[in-house]
Amino acid sequence: MALVALVAAALALGLEQTIQWRFGPMGVIAFVALTIGIKAKNAVVSSFGAVILVMLLAQSG
């Protein structure tokens, strides 16, 4: 069980670092808002994070 938690934490950290490297601080804010919204089951916060991430993806492409 501890191994699964360790692997999940490592993946989350890696994903966060990749987002910050590619999209900067706004990407991290969007990722955190999306994560908090999903965990808290708050549609407004998760939608806010998702919309920002989509806008950042559309801008880079």
Side-chain angles (χ1 to χ4, degrees):
M1 180 99 147
L3 181 62
V4 173
L6 184 61
V7 169
L11 286 174
L13 261 171
L15 181 62
E16 184 178 349
Q17 289 298 320
T18 302
I19 288 173
Q20 182 165 356
W21 170 72
R22 179 147 181 183
F23 301 115
M26 189 55 98
V28 173
I29 291 169
F31 180 69
V32 169
L34 181 63
T35 304
I36 290 172
I38 290 172
K39 286 188 184 239
K41 295 183 178 148
N42 188 335
V44 174
V45 176
S46 60
S47 297
F48 172 73
V51 167
I52 292 176
L53 280 176
V54 168
M55 289 175 25
L56 289 171
L57 286 170
Q59 179 184 14
S60 68

